[in-house]
Amino acid sequence: MGPTVIGDRWNVTDAEVARRYPCDDLVARPTLQAWRGITVATTPERLWPWVTQVRVAPYSYDLVDNLGRRSPQRLLGLPEPKVGEPFMTAMARRFGPIRAVEPQRAFTGEILGAIMSYVLVPQEESTRLLLKIVTDRVGRVGAPLLAIGDLMMARQQLRNIKRLAETCD
């Protein structure tokens, strides 16, 4: 495990930090690891399409990362993601690729050298949506900056996905 930096954890337990994520298999010696989590009052089956819809919009701060265009507020009926396809769309650009898919369990992709895994963990009447980001492309100075920037954007993204998955079909 790499060094702890400011902003590397938000709303996750020690057990969630300690678990294995698909991104861990893709970066041997990360210089940054960051974890985010949120509880969503729905099943993994209902949450999964919202998570994988990041392929068409960022679901964070649309004014900043979607050039002011609102991320879709309804499901678009996208096909299941496939390894090699673009992972995410932001600022009217596609970023990718998708690196691994476990339907209704985990969705992993790469953006500018950072590997991100969204993991859905079923609970009794909800689902934990966990996000881990790892990279080996930042140093001691860059790691806290990336962690703090990602914290602001990812927290908003997870909150938006939660709201939509709980209220929209």
Side-chain angles (χ1 to χ4, degrees):
M1 184 181 275
T4 300
V5 299
I6 286 178
D8 70 345
R9 295 182 186 191
W10 176 72
N11 202 28
V12 289
T13 66
D14 289 342
E16 290 169 338
V17 169
R19 73 175 288 145
R20 190 114 185 116
Y21 292 78
C23 59
D24 295 326
D25 297 331
L26 301 172
V27 179
R29 291 190 178 95
T31 54
L32 171 69
Q33 299 182 86
W35 299 263
R36 289 74 174 89
I38 199 161
T39 300
V40 185
T42 194
T43 64
E45 295 79 18
R46 288 180 55 110
L47 179 56
W48 177 253
W50 287 107
V51 171
T52 62
Q53 199 156 284
V54 299
R55 293 176 286 166
V56 298
Y59 287 95
S60 187
Y61 293 101
D62 286 337
L63 188 60
V64 175
D65 60 10
N66 207 21
L67 301 176
R69 293 179 310 160
R70 187 167 186 181
S71 295
Q73 303 297 293
R74 62 179 178 81
L75 288 174
L76 301 178
L78 298 176
E80 282 294 313
K82 292 186 172 88
V83 171
E85 293 177 342
F87 173 57
M88 190 174 287
T89 300
M91 294 183 261
R93 290 188 52 209
R94 293 178 134 195
F95 292 90
I98 294 172
R99 300 289 301 269
V101 177
E102 297 174 52
Q104 299 178 16
R105 294 186 60 207
F107 182 53
T108 301
E110 181 175 354
I111 299 175
L112 304 173
I115 310 292
M116 304 169 65
S117 289
Y118 295 86
V119 174
L120 287 69
V121 181
Q123 297 182 319
E124 287 184 21
E125 295 187 22
S126 62
T127 303
R128 282 291 286 165
L129 175 55
L130 305 173
L131 170 60
K132 182 174 182 185
I133 180 172
V134 296
T135 187
D136 58 6
R137 298 194 183 177
V138 296
R140 286 186 325 169
V141 173
L145 297 174
L146 178 59
I148 290 168
D150 176 72
L151 172 61
M152 291 185 304
M153 302 305 278
R155 183 176 58 192
Q156 184 67 17
Q157 180 189 63
L158 295 180
R159 286 176 171 164
N160 282 334
I161 290 171
K162 170 187 170 68
R163 176 183 54 80
L164 291 164
E166 291 177 347
T167 61
C168 300
D169 285 323

